[in-house]
Amino acid sequence: MSQEASFFGLTGKKALIVGGGQGMGESTALFLARAGCDVGLMDVVPARADAVGQKIAALGRRSFTIAGDVLDDGQIQPIIADAEAKLGGLDLMVSIVGAAAWGSLLEISAEMWDQQMHLNLRYFFLVAKAVAQSLIRRGKPGAIVGIASVDGQRASPMRGAYGAAKAGLINLVQTMAVEWAPQNIRVNAIAPGHIVTPRLYDTPQRADAYAASLIPARARGTTDDIGKAALFLASDMARYITGTTLDVDGGLLAANLFPDGLPGNNQP
Ligand SMILES: NC(=O)c1ccc[n+]([C@@H]2O[C@H](COP(=O)([O-])OP(=O)(O)OC[C@H]3O[C@@H](n4cnc5c(N)ncnc54)[C@H](O)[C@@H]3O)[C@@H](O)[C@H]2O)c1
C-alpha cells in the first residue's frame, strides 16, 4: 500500500457504492479501491458492476457485485445484508443513483412528482438509514455520502421536481449528520454541476456551448472530479466535516452573481 493511500485512512475499509456500475459510481469505486478499500458494487444492472469489478481486480483490490433495485423498499435491507456478508463488514457508503425528469411545473403530473421524489430522495433516506442502523448495531463509526445537485440550490426550471428533491437531500444530510454524530457517523453530500456522464441530457455540442458561456471553468466536469470529492468526504481527510454539501461545479453557482454573463465573455 502506498504512503498516499494510507493518508486517507481507508486501508482495509469496506465501502458500498450504490449505483456503482458506471459513470460517477465507477469513478468513486476506483478511487476508493486505490485508497485501499474493498468495494461492494451495487447496481440494478449487475453486468455493469461486474465490468467495474474487473478494473478493481486489476488494481489488486477486492470487489463484489451486489445486484438489486433500491427503488424497491423490500430489497433495501437484503442489499445491505448482502454487502455486509460479502465484504465482511461495512464502514462507508456512497449513493449515486438519481436522475432528472424534464417538464415545467405546469406540465408534470403528480405521478412524475412522486417518481422524482422517490428516485432522488426517498430511496436515499431508506438506504442511508439502513446503513446507519448497521453501523450502530455493530458499534462502528462510518461515513455516508449522497449526490445532490446544483439544481437543489437554486431554481431549476424544467426540472422542478428534481430540484426540490435534491434540495430535500441537502437538508436531509444535515439532519442525519446531527442525529447520528453521537454514533460517529458522518453524512455529507456532493452537488455536481454539469458533468460528462454516460447519461446524456443534451447534445455534447450544446452542453459544451453552455459550459463555455456559463461555467467559470469553461468546461463540464468529469466523473473523476466527483469520485475524488467522494473519496475525500468518505475518508479521514474529512474527519471533522459532516452535514455539508460540497459543490463540484467549476464555479457555476458562484457565477450566479454575474447576471450579464461571465466576465470576459461579453467584452468587445
Ligand atoms: N450528470 C450531471 O451533470 C449531474 C449533475 C448533477 C447531479 N447529478 C446526479 O449524479 C448522479 C449520477 O447521475 P448519472 O446520470 O451519472 O447516473 P446513471 O444513470 O449513470 O446511474 C448510475 C448507476 O446507477 C444504477 N442505477 C440506476 N437505478 C438504480 C436502482 N434503482 N437501483 C440500483 N442501481 C441503479 C445505474 O445502472 C448506473 O450504473 C445522480 O444522482 C444525478 O442526479 C448528475
Side-chain angles (χ1 to χ4, degrees), residues 64-77:
F64 304 90
T65 292
I66 296 150
D69 180 355
V70 287
L71 297 183
D72 178 351
D73 290 1
Q75 292 191 34
I76 288 178
Q77 289 291 349

Side-chain angles (χ1 to χ4, degrees), residues 19 22 24 43-44 48 69-70 96 98 162 166 193 195 199:
Q22 67 177 14
M24 299 180 198
D43 209 286
V44 74
R48 290 179 177 166
D69 180 355
V70 287
I96 303 287
Y162 175 75
K166 294 294 194 182
I195 307 296
R199 183 197 291 273

Side-chain angles (χ1 to χ4, degrees), residues 29-30 33-34 37-39 41 49-64:
L30 290 170
R34 283 189 201 110
C37 287
D38 294 334
V39 181
L41 299 159
D50 290 343
V52 176
Q54 287 179 6
K55 295 183 188 174
I56 290 177
L59 295 171
R61 299 298 321 175
R62 295 194 316 153
S63 75
F64 304 90

Side-chain angles (χ1 to χ4, degrees), residues 4 37 71 76 90 101 113 125 132 140 158 169 178 204 238 249:
E4 290 80 4
C37 287
L71 297 183
I76 288 178
L90 185 57
W113 176 271
F125 160 60
K140 291 274 194 183
M158 298 307 288
L169 190 146
V178 171
D249 69 350

Side-chain angles (χ1 to χ4, degrees), residues 240-258:
Y240 198 57
I241 298 176
T242 194
T244 196
T245 293
L246 178 59
D247 298 330
V248 182
D249 69 350
L252 178 64
L253 280 182
N256 280 344
L257 294 173
F258 298 112

